[in-house]
Amino acid sequence: MEYHEPKSNFIREIIDKDLASGKFGGRVHTRFPPEPNGYLHIGHAKSICLNSGIARDYAGKFNLRFDDTNPSKEDQEYVDSIIEDVKWLGGDFGDRLLFASDYFQAMYDWAVALVKKGKAYVCDLSAEEIRRHRGTPTEPGRDSPFRSRPVAENADLFERMRKGEFPDGSRVLRAKIDMAHPNLNMRDPVMYRILHAEHHRQGGAWCIYPMYDWAHGLEDSMENITHSICTLEFENHRPLYDWFLDALGIYHPQQLEFARLNLSNTILSKRKLLELVRDKHIAGWDDPRMPTISGFRRRGYTPSSIRAFCEEIGVAKFNSIVDLRVLENAIRSELNKTAPRVLAVLRPLKVVIDNYPQETAEELDAVNNPEDPAAGTRKLPFCREIYIEAGDFKEIPPKKFFRMTPGREVRLRYAYVVRCERAVKDAAGNITEVHCTYDPATRGGDTPDGRKIKGAIHWVSARHGVAVQVRLYDALFTKRDPEEVSEGRDYRENLNPVSLEVLNNACCEPGLTDAAAGSRFQFERLGYFFADPKDSKPGAPVFNRTATLKDTWAKIEQKGK
Ligand code: ATP
Ligand code: MG
């Protein structure tokens, strides 16, 4: 893995101080705690890079821990995909693949301990009644009528909850803190609820499940985490995190909060991404338009480009929206250095070079990567009939159009200077082919007489070129903020109706048929492309456009307005 000099940030500064003061005995131990209820997205990548990067740089440890405490939404498919994604990103969790559900017994025992200390009680109010008793930020809550239940009765009822004697929703276990606390999270929060549901790892062993705020600190404590890094929404849950650990008197990690990643033209909510998958707005979790890690992988992003992006955006304490451009620039600047250049035509228009011999085919030298001299050159076949990009020909050229147009010369990349003579049209007036003549003295594209040729276009030999499928992607949402909607509508109204374009007649230079699934190229003038790992077959690659060569976002945003 390449090494980025880590930028400092407020979390690293806190860790430096803790190391200096000996707060955790010189240890650094972080974790990434996903709930397996969806696929990971680019926001999760920020958290993975932050947590695993800190462990790496401080010679500490990093755990991958599934926060699998809510069986109704969780699934093994998500567990598997998350493990794959964390590994792919380079998050090194060693042998520390952990599951919160493995701690259910310990959590239960701790809850019993709090009951016995008089710090937790069984409450028979319904969820709705609990909400109504809770008060508001300006008014105190009201005590539950069950708050003063004797310890022995609480202990008995809690045990019977665990044994399955009561139906779902009939009782909960609550912490006994303060119903007038200014922080609503401290008003006797629920610790356990009854849920007769199969757990993907525990089967039917449990019918009570711990709530996030109760479970999370215990999980961190069990694993000897030093710095429990989470997003800003949890800042006002920290007093509760601290209260539980102090009430139990167990090892106490430090919770730290940072700003979550928000990306323009993108939704990063697992619930909404699940809706897009379920309602088939996209092809699946790994659709290259999805902001999931698996989507970016399938689009052609590399782990190092995503890590570079996370390093670039840094870690702060205030929320903001990062422009999608920053992410695209990360993959562009990497692929610019590493991707071999090839010629392909997405929307072919046939060009006949009238003065080029019918039977001849010659091989021309093409540079594989101008950024990397070691990449060398390759041979490109050239003959009388070639394809060019339909958009590179205009019968009536607009101003500053330096590509192919009747009466003018243009350079065919690595080949010759040609002069366009005329276009042939069908009965409907569509251009079916274009005729040119070439200048044999310009082999390789140079003009020995020094005459200036302003434009250079790419091409593929019609006789040697190979048809391939190419998919072009555009932003999934037209608006910078997809949540900006008209009255009564939701984010789905901002889905981009033309986010995918499939081109079945694209034509590429012959060597590309050997492209291995998962390989990356720059199609000259067209962008960076990735041989789709699922749909490519030996000898028949299918290409996804990872990114355009330049930024096309300004245009998309305008469309969205
Ligand atoms: P939910 O909890 O609503 O299912 P979530 O996105 O918080 O959704 P988790 O599985 O709980 O999903 O997230 C795992 C970790 O990833 C958490 O520590 C969370 O703080 C972090 N995380 C989630 N979304 C982002 C984001 N957009 N930016 C940075 N970190 C994030
Ligand atoms: Mg969460």
Side-chain angles (χ1 to χ4, degrees):
M1 189 192 303
E2 89 299 355
Y3 183 76
H4 296 283
E5 185 59 38
K7 277 194 215 164
S8 193
N9 57 50
F10 75 95
I11 291 179
R12 286 175 184 258
E13 282 164 17
I14 292 170
I15 294 175
D16 290 336
K17 276 195 203 113
D18 290 345
L19 286 175
S21 72
K23 183 168 173 186
F24 295 106
R27 287 188 310 118
V28 173
H29 198 153
T30 58
R31 86 287 175 263
F32 174 64
E35 186 180 349
N37 60 355
Y39 279 57
L40 297 182
H41 55 58
I42 187 77
H44 296 117
K46 177 177 179 181
S47 176
I48 294 165
C49 291
L50 174 63
N51 280 290
S52 66
I54 285 172
R56 176 197 63 209
D57 296 336
Y58 288 92
K61 286 183 181 155
F62 166 70
N63 292 3
L64 172 57
R65 177 214 309 149
F66 285 93
D67 200 6
D68 55 346
T69 53
N70 182 8
S72 52
K73 292 187 177 165
E74 296 165 5
D75 199 278
Q76 187 62 39
E77 176 194 348
Y78 301 137
V79 172
D80 297 340
S81 76
I82 290 170
I83 294 172
E84 183 185 1
D85 289 350
V86 173
K87 284 188 178 163
W88 182 76
L89 269 180
D92 180 8
F93 51 87
D95 58 359
R96 291 171 305 281
L97 169 61
L98 303 162
F99 293 85
S101 54
D102 288 342
Y103 316 147
F104 280 171
Q105 185 61 45
M107 291 178 189
Y108 175 80
D109 294 340
W110 273 319
V112 170
L114 283 196
V115 168
K116 292 199 170 140
K117 287 186 187 186
K119 292 188 177 185
Y121 62 98
V122 173
C123 180
D124 304 355
L125 293 180
S126 67
E128 179 50 35
E129 287 166 325
I130 290 178
R131 210 169 301 128
R132 276 194 268 119
H133 277 73
R134 209 166 169 226
T136 67
T138 50
E139 290 163 72
R142 279 176 296 133
D143 284 1
S144 158
F146 305 98
R147 197 172 200 267
S148 46
R149 239 175 195 156
V151 167
E153 191 179 324
N154 285 320
D156 173 60
L157 284 172
F158 185 49
E159 194 183 338
R160 289 164 61 197
M161 276 170 64
R162 193 249 178 279
K163 282 187 182 152
E165 289 187 23
F166 309 120
D168 289 1
S170 59
R171 294 195 155 90
V172 292
L173 184 73
R174 298 176 73 177
K176 196 170 184 175
I177 307 179
D178 179 359
M179 287 307 292
H181 201 286
N183 181 339
L184 268 72
N185 294 314
M186 301 295 276
R187 294 184 186 171
D188 290 11
V190 173
M191 296 163 60
Y192 274 97
R193 65 204 167 116
I194 302 174
L195 186 66
H196 292 265
E198 282 281 305
H199 187 278
H200 62 104
R201 298 188 83 240
Q202 300 292 326
W206 293 87
C207 64
I208 55 171
Y209 288 95
M211 304 300 288
Y212 177 89
D213 283 325
W214 161 245
H216 205 83
L218 303 183
E219 296 161 18
D220 288 340
S221 179
M222 294 270 296
E223 295 176 11
N224 279 311
I225 298 302
T226 56
H227 300 86
S228 173
I229 302 169
C230 60
T231 43
L232 282 181
E233 315 86 88
F234 291 97
E235 192 162 20
N236 59 8
H237 294 242
R238 185 174 1 112
L240 182 54
Y241 182 99
D242 292 338
W243 188 92
F244 281 131
L245 295 172
D246 291 342
L248 291 165
I250 59 177
Y251 167 74
H252 194 147
Q254 174 66 52
Q255 179 180 306
L256 300 169
E257 308 87 14
F258 72 103
R260 65 191 298 112
L261 170 67
N262 300 301
L263 256 194
S264 67
N265 298 73
T266 307
I267 277 205
L268 295 182
S269 147
K270 279 201 260 179
R271 184 179 63 76
K272 289 174 186 160
L273 295 177
L274 178 61
E275 264 168 12
L276 295 178
V277 173
R278 192 196 56 205
D279 301 341
K280 303 201 162 40
H281 291 288
I282 35 81
W285 285 102
D286 69 346
D287 186 304
R289 291 166 291 176
M290 285 285 269
T292 50
I293 296 177
S294 51
F296 284 115
R297 177 164 59 235
R298 188 128 185 230
R299 175 96 167 230
Y301 276 70
T302 57
S304 46
S305 65
I306 293 181
R307 286 194 299 266
F309 166 73
C310 292
E311 192 63 34
E312 161 96 26
I313 58 174
V315 178
K317 197 91 193 164
F318 51 90
N319 284 310
S320 62
I321 299 181
V322 174
D323 210 296
L324 198 40
R325 243 173 268 207
V326 181
L327 180 57
E328 291 195 342
N329 282 334
I331 186 66
R332 267 190 206 113
S333 60
E334 179 177 320
L335 294 181
N336 179 44
K337 292 187 214 106
T338 57
R341 272 55 168 173
V342 293
L343 298 190
V345 171
L346 300 184
R347 298 173 182 85
L349 170 64
K350 184 181 273 187
V351 172
V352 182
I353 301 163
D354 293 323
N355 61 339
Y356 195 89
Q358 191 84 38
E359 300 308 324
T360 306
E362 63 184 308
E363 298 218 299
L364 301 163
D365 289 318
V367 175
N368 287 333
N369 187 350
E371 301 284 320
D372 177 10
T377 60
R378 68 188 183 288
K379 297 286 183 196
L380 275 184
F382 182 80
C383 67
R384 182 180 152 94
E385 294 193 351
I386 61 171
Y387 291 120
I388 66 163
E389 209 64 63
D392 281 339
F393 174 81
K394 289 254 182 326
E395 202 174 15
I396 300 160
K399 258 198 190 139
K400 296 200 175 157
F401 183 85
F402 300 120
R403 291 167 276 164
M404 190 177 282
T405 190
R408 287 203 213 149
E409 285 188 315
V410 69
R411 175 180 288 116
L412 297 176
R413 184 95 163 127
Y414 305 123
Y416 290 98
V417 172
V418 294
R419 180 190 157 85
C420 178
E421 306 296 344
R422 65 192 168 92
V424 178
K425 293 181 188 171
D426 64 13
N430 301 311
I431 294 165
T432 52
E433 61 181 43
V434 174
H435 287 256
C436 290
T437 51
Y438 85 118
D439 176 355
T442 58
R443 194 173 196 272
D446 294 329
T447 47
D449 60 0
R451 72 184 188 275
K452 287 256 179 308
I453 308 294
K454 274 200 172 156
I457 61 175
H458 61 276
W459 54 273
V460 170
S461 158
R463 198 186 306 162
H464 306 90
V466 186
V468 286
Q469 189 191 86
V470 170
R471 300 132 167 192
L472 304 182
Y473 301 101
D474 202 341
L476 191 50
F477 292 95
T478 51
K479 284 224 171 102
R480 182 174 166 81
D481 175 7
E483 301 285 2
E484 195 188 304
V485 292
S486 22
E487 180 99 15
R489 306 289 297 276
D490 69 16
Y491 69 98
R492 281 171 282 205
E493 93 168 352
N494 291 323
L495 276 167
N496 180 359
V498 288
S499 56
L500 168 65
E501 188 179 359
V502 179
L503 302 170
N504 286 309
N505 296 319
C507 184
C508 64
E509 60 173 83
L512 259 194
T513 50
D514 299 330
S519 49
R520 298 177 173 84
F521 301 91
Q522 185 195 104
F523 289 7
E524 291 205 26
R525 299 180 62 228
L526 298 171
Y528 295 103
F529 289 77
F530 180 60
D532 189 281
K534 285 190 182 165
D535 298 334
S536 295
K537 300 280 171 295
V542 170
F543 290 101
N544 301 334
R545 179 151 70 186
T546 308
T548 52
L549 286 187
K550 284 187 215 131
D551 207 332
T552 52
W553 281 91
K555 255 183 7 213
I556 288 157
E557 271 170 39
Q558 298 249 310
K559 263 196 274 169
K561 290 235 164 84

